[in-house]
Amino acid sequence: MARIAFFGPEGTFTEQAARSLAGGAELFPVETISAALTVVRKGEADGACVPVENSVEGPVTATLDGLAEDAPLVAVAEALLPVQFSVLSRDDVETVRTVASHPHALAQVRLWLERNLPEARPVVASSTAAAAVGVQRGEYDAAVAAPVAVEHYPLRVLATGVADVPDARTRFLLLRPPGPLPEPTGADRTSIVVAAANRTGSLAELLTELAMRGINLTRLDARPIKGDFGMYRFFFDFEGHVAEPRIADALAALRRRCNNVRFLGSHPRADGVEATVQAGAGNDDFVNADAWVESVRKGELA
């Protein structure tokens, strides 16, 4: 049976995402995102489920940095979860003086805490589930956790469905070592990371390669390169699959522009949104253009 690591401990949103992506595989938690990637690279797990971005707090930097460094891993699937929390405690709401959770979670319920637990002091924990464990141990009075946490930690639910932004969502990736990719569906996402040259216009040149081929960019993040102050990596997500001629053509052009390009995967989008294809930028257009050039080379037509 395949084994999938997930950013734990048990009772996190990542566990919920892993359940939807694992396809019957054995799931086991690890303490950090870095540890989840490491066990896959060492061959101790067949894959890892980790968060990559949140609609309120933005990118999950530990995931981005982990994908850019060390042995390559590729995303083969994604899950998109609505993020609404439960507030868990051992006792009644009147006794709550400290509320613990992951920083992203605390940021997403700040207004709710101010209105409903104004005397409680927020405390940062390594994960939402770690906060629930801390409540069990008596370290905190309450935890802001994923609803699944109550399956693992017998705590009182003071409130559920808690979120300052009702439609907040987090996207999770299922990562594996390089190998066969999922087949294209027409509603796919391709991801790369590029260390662009430190000169005027270098990022614009890379983006132009996508724009010239009518490829819609869905995410762009910048992260500093460790040990090289002032230098950055750029993470691109865009519509399409590497199996498509137009996407392959764009990746080849990006590789010509910059040798430091890492492919991070092509897989179906969790939201099912189909790629936007401009007139003259469809896969058939690229195939037909290549065929015409080949015919010219063979002297078959002018």
Side-chain angles (χ1 to χ4, degrees), residues 47-71:
C49 182
V50 295
V52 67
E53 66 172 327
N54 174 267
S55 61
V56 176
E57 290 300 296
V60 179
T61 56
T63 297
L64 298 187
D65 292 344
L67 289 174
E69 301 164 357
D70 299 322

Side-chain angles (χ1 to χ4, degrees), residues 72-77 174-185 188-192 240-244 247-248 251 263-268:
L73 296 174
V74 296
V76 296
L174 178 61
L175 301 167
R176 296 186 185 273
L181 296 171
E183 293 294 323
T185 66
D188 304 292
R189 189 191 314 274
T190 292
S191 303
I192 60 172
H241 192 287
V242 66
E244 299 178 56
I247 302 300
L251 291 177
F263 176 73
L264 300 180
S266 287
H267 56 79

Side-chain angles (χ1 to χ4, degrees), residues 12-102:
T12 60
F13 285 103
T14 311
E15 181 186 9
Q16 289 184 234
R19 289 180 181 181
S20 70
L21 294 172
E26 175 191 351
L27 301 178
F28 67 97
V30 293
E31 291 186 0
T32 65
I33 289 172
S34 177
L37 304 185
T38 296
V39 294
V40 180
R41 288 175 170 136
K42 289 183 175 181
E44 297 170 359
D46 299 288
C49 182
V50 295
V52 67
E53 66 172 327
N54 174 267
S55 61
V56 176
E57 290 300 296
V60 179
T61 56
T63 297
L64 298 187
D65 292 344
L67 289 174
E69 301 164 357
D70 299 322
L73 296 174
V74 296
V76 296
E78 68 178 32
L80 195 60
L81 293 187
V83 179
Q84 294 188 331
F85 301 90
S86 293
V87 180
L88 309 179
S89 179
R90 297 185 315 278
D91 303 307
D92 294 330
V93 67
E94 290 79 9
T95 66
V96 175
R97 293 295 178 267
T98 55
V99 181
S101 196
H102 187 274

Side-chain angles (χ1 to χ4, degrees), residues 17 41 46 57 61 83 108 124-125 135 154 181 191 199 224 229 232 236 244 252 260 262 264 270 279 289 296:
R41 288 175 170 136
D46 299 288
E57 290 300 296
T61 56
V83 179
Q108 292 178 74
V124 170
V135 172
L181 296 171
S191 303
R199 58 177 174 77
F229 184 78
Y232 290 83
F236 297 168
E244 299 178 56
N260 199 342
R262 174 175 284 194
L264 300 180
V296 170

Side-chain angles (χ1 to χ4, degrees), residues 51 66 70 155 163 246:
D70 299 322
L155 296 170
R246 66 193 188 96

